[in-house]
Amino acid sequence: MTPASAPGRADAIVVGSGPNGLAAAVTLARAGLAVHVIEGAATCGGGCRTEELTLPGFQHDVCSAVHPLAGASPFFAGLDLAARGVELLTPKVAFAHPLDGGRAAAVCGSVAQTAADLGPDQRAYQRLLEPLVRDAALTLPALLAPLRSVPRHPAAVARFGLAGLRPASSLARRFKGPEAQALLAGAAAHTMLPLTAPLTSAFGLLFLMTGHAVGWPVIAGGSARLTDALVAELTALGGRVETGRWVATLDSLPPARTILLDVTPRQFVALAGERLPAGRRRALARFRYGPGACKVDWALSGPVPWQAAACREAGTVHVGGAFAEVARSEAEVAAGRHPEQPFCLVTQPGVVDPSRAPAGQHTLWGYCHVPPGSTVDMAGRIEAQIERFAPGFRDLILARSVRTAADLEQHNPNYVGGDIGGGAETVRQLIGRPTLRWNPYRTALPGVYLCSASTPPGGGVHGMCGDWAARTALADLGRPGGPPGPGPA
Ligand SMILES: Cc1cc2nc3c(=O)[nH]c(=O)nc-3n(C[C@H](O)[C@H](O)[C@H](O)COP(=O)(O)OP(=O)(O)OC[C@H]3O[C@@H](n4cnc5c(N)ncnc54)[C@H](O)[C@@H]3O)c2cc1C
């Protein structure tokens, strides 16, 4: 196979170099195809990049920062990340959740270790989490696959599914104390859904489970190192990446046997134009995006002075108080309002990675959920929430960079309205993501596939959307090399 040394000679074109676009490209290149990746932005990586957003010497993860899903991903397990210079640094505390009065709950090490600090909920936490963590190696690959593929371990997956079907607000009633309830709230709120919504427990349990089974690592030097590794793997296989070229229509692409698009349904409709039958356009228009995020990065003169010791050792801190407060914040966002006291996701990579800032200084990363398309700068409200649990925090701020939800979309068109997950995590979109089709990666256009986070298994840096889409494309080309994709060719 001739490597794609010039446009027009590629077998496969991938539009977009996010983790899913690059994973797709690697899978195709491993099967012997000449692959050409076209990226609109000046640098590769989409939601997996690191930049000096504030001051010289402060390396901030622009989007993704914490990588339990990369740690759990079968695609990344098949890549020798260490040989490609990627070091996953796992903090002692996966995530902590401060409460008023200097207390905190924390996911730390084994289920038993974590439960030991949950007071009246020690037993209940162990009963809920122990079977799930024991089966994690069986369930995680199934949770990172399209639902329509038959799981290899149906009993373990069913056990997880039964526990996760209810809303987090219902599951939280198993717990008596605020600590265990808060841990569940913070993990479930990653869905960006109200905690009364179905499936919020499933996401909460997934994140708790990964906290114990995988850890919540950051990447030494920043998330961009993972992108560098994917690009290095691709180029070693003869593929090439072109940056700074926004694709406006499919017709503008060089000829290729197969095209994979790391874009969301709305962009796909625009790219395909009249080539897409009206019925498919209507089906794709029904795809729902979630709320937005307002993201803030800080350069700090020292570590955040959390009152609770567990927060000082945690890579990630869920800031927002007790279950009811987190639930109220998410409900307000769902109702189209900006919460006065938002639930905030905060990451402090300096806990394990001193390379992110000059000696003694730190970077801090945080965001809160906001209504779609919001232009509101939430930095003040996020800082007030952090200050509540870490008095003196504001005095450490040397500089900050803010991206509203609208800014996020401006930097990356995949973040429609600032939705960082590539589409709402609703029940309908769990079953039919992006639309209800047997194989979710094929489109109505022969040889054209979607491979972004808007396809299963959804948002996050795991590369599995790209890998599954590429396997589908390979199966359709009748190529050996990749295991068959889901659904009949
Ligand atoms: C603030 C924030 C925090 C996050 N935190 C985490 C986290 O801690 N952990 C985690 O696992 N995930 C996190 N995520 C989510 C994660 O980043 C995404 O789910 C993931 O990057 C999706 O990968 P993707 O390849 O589908 O799309 P993207 O990473 O969005 O990449 C899409 C790429 O396609 C390019 N593109 C789009 N349209 C075109 C076009 N027409 N022409 C050319 N190029 C185009 C874009 O420029 C972009 O580079 C976060 C996201 C954000 C924004």
Side-chain angles (χ1 to χ4, degrees):
M1 187 62 52
T2 318
S5 54
R9 293 174 61 192
D11 300 311
I13 288 180
V14 178
V15 176
S17 70
N20 284 313
L22 291 174
V26 166
T27 299
L28 295 169
R30 275 185 188 150
L33 266 63
V35 184
H36 176 190
V37 177
I38 302 177
E39 167 58 52
T43 53
C44 290
C48 205
R49 288 176 298 126
T50 307
E51 287 174 17
E52 281 184 344
L53 292 174
T54 55
L55 299 173
F58 288 82
Q59 298 289 339
H60 302 275
D61 286 326
V62 180
C63 302
S64 63
V66 186
H67 295 286
L69 297 177
S73 159
F75 171 78
F76 282 115
L79 203 68
D80 189 350
L81 286 177
R84 293 267 173 230
V86 177
E87 195 187 349
L88 295 178
L89 302 173
T90 305
K92 185 174 161 215
V93 177
F95 60 91
H97 193 125
L99 294 164
D100 289 324
R103 293 168 304 150
V107 168
C108 174
S110 69
V111 174
Q113 275 171 296
T114 298
D117 287 331
L118 294 178
D121 294 314
Q122 181 172 6
R123 281 279 189 70
Y125 187 84
Q126 279 184 274
R127 265 200 307 274
L128 180 63
L129 265 301
E130 249 158 20
L132 303 184
V133 173
R134 187 192 60 222
D135 290 345
L138 311 180
T139 47
L140 284 171
L143 298 175
L144 291 174
L147 269 189
R148 273 145 283 184
S149 50
V150 181
R152 282 204 199 150
H153 304 281
V157 174
R159 203 163 24 249
F160 177 88
L162 281 177
L165 272 183
R166 323 195 241 163
S169 55
S170 158
L171 187 65
R173 287 191 213 117
R174 279 196 182 203
F175 300 129
K176 298 187 188 73
E179 281 86 357
Q181 289 180 348
L183 278 186
L184 177 63
H190 280 254
T191 54
M192 304 174 99
L193 294 171
L195 300 190
T196 47
L199 286 181
T200 40
S201 285
F203 285 93
L205 291 172
L206 169 67
F207 285 120
L208 287 166
M209 187 167 99
T210 56
H212 294 294
V214 183
W216 279 29
V218 299
I219 295 172
S223 296
R225 301 291 82 77
L226 196 59
T227 297
D228 296 343
L230 288 168
V231 171
E233 181 80 9
L234 177 64
T235 45
L237 291 163
R240 77 177 193 116
V241 183
E242 180 185 359
T243 53
R245 175 175 171 188
W246 291 104
V247 176
T249 70
L250 291 184
D251 294 337
S252 67
L253 291 173
R257 295 168 66 199
T258 191
I259 296 171
L260 277 78
L261 304 172
D262 187 8
V263 304
T264 81
R266 188 177 297 180
Q267 296 144 275
F268 171 53
V269 169
L271 285 172
E274 293 304 312
R275 283 170 67 178
L276 208 55
R280 294 307 303 156
R281 273 207 300 272
R282 277 196 301 277
L284 288 161
R286 284 194 287 273
F287 185 78
R288 287 288 157 260
Y289 294 90
C294 177
K295 161 96 185 321
V296 188
D297 289 280
W298 296 269
L300 302 179
S301 59
V304 180
W306 302 105
Q307 280 178 318
C311 297
R312 298 198 285 271
E313 295 182 295
T316 299
V317 186
H318 291 150
V319 184
F323 189 99
E325 290 179 78
V326 178
R328 193 180 319 124
S329 171
E330 295 308 301
E332 285 210 45
V333 173
R337 292 189 295 270
H338 294 81
E340 269 313 313
Q341 293 197 302
F343 168 67
C344 315
L345 297 99
V346 174
T347 292
Q348 36 190 22
V351 165
V352 280
D353 185 5
S355 78
R356 302 291 185 97
Q361 301 182 320
H362 284 254
T363 60
L364 191 71
W365 168 114
Y367 70 86
C368 70
H369 302 147
V370 290
S374 163
T375 54
V376 175
D377 175 347
M378 297 289 282
R381 294 184 226 190
I382 296 176
E383 286 170 11
Q385 286 285 64
I386 299 175
E387 182 81 23
R388 172 178 160 197
F389 300 104
F393 160 67
R394 284 200 191 100
D395 301 336
L396 304 177
I397 300 173
L398 301 172
R400 73 172 69 72
S401 149
V402 181
R403 283 189 181 174
T404 65
D407 295 334
L408 287 178
E409 181 172 1
Q410 206 191 348
H411 281 91
N412 180 348
N414 282 34
Y415 300 138
V416 175
D419 173 6
I420 66 174
E425 304 280 7
T426 58
V427 175
R428 185 166 77 85
Q429 292 191 169
L430 181 78
I431 300 161
R433 186 179 183 91
T435 57
L436 204 54
R437 281 170 81 87
W438 180 251
N439 183 303
Y441 308 101
R442 292 194 187 103
T443 69
L445 307 179
V448 180
Y449 304 83
L450 282 180
C451 70
S452 74
S454 301
T455 64
V461 175
H462 41 64
M464 293 306 296
C465 311
D467 186 48
W468 282 107
R471 293 199 232 172
T472 301
L474 288 171
D476 289 355
L477 286 171
R479 299 285 298 211

